[in-house]
Amino acid sequence: MTIKYQAYGKGSQITRDTPRAAALAYFEQEPNRRKCDVTAGRSEGGFFTRIYSLRHGTGPTNWSDVTPKTALELPNVASESDSAPIPA
């Protein structure tokens, strides 16, 4: 499994290696959309899974209401904290 970022909105989602790449690819695929959300997760075999830990009250890194202009402000590297294992 590898850490990926998924940009999603009404009726569409796209997964890429960095938050910025996911958002930009989403707006390229859906040019009429005004905003999307981006979240971190694990990707394996075409499946994307957001990782939550209810025990520790943590969720995946995410960005809400990303617009085509603010997509350029997202990190263009994968976060170290997103790849850290979830504590038991």
Side-chain angles (χ1 to χ4, degrees):
M1 277 193 283
T2 59
I3 296 298
K4 298 283 187 171
Y5 296 86
Q6 187 174 72
Y8 57 96
K10 197 171 189 175
S12 182
Q13 70 254 358
I14 192 157
T15 305
R16 295 288 186 263
D17 291 334
T18 68
R20 183 185 303 174
L24 292 175
Y26 176 84
F27 290 118
E28 186 177 307
Q29 178 179 314
E30 299 287 339
N32 295 328
R33 301 285 183 210
R34 291 181 176 188
K35 62 182 179 178
C36 70
D37 295 331
V38 178
T39 190
R42 301 201 190 267
S43 180
E44 181 177 15
F47 293 99
F48 183 84
T49 307
R50 294 179 190 110
I51 306 296
Y52 293 92
S53 174
L54 297 177
R55 180 181 220 176
H56 299 285
T58 60
T61 304
N62 63 11
W63 296 267
S64 298
D65 297 331
V66 177
T67 65
K69 286 183 182 180
T70 61
L72 296 173
E73 298 170 8
L74 294 177
N76 202 26
V77 295
S79 172
E80 294 279 331
S81 62
D82 292 334
S83 60
I86 303 292

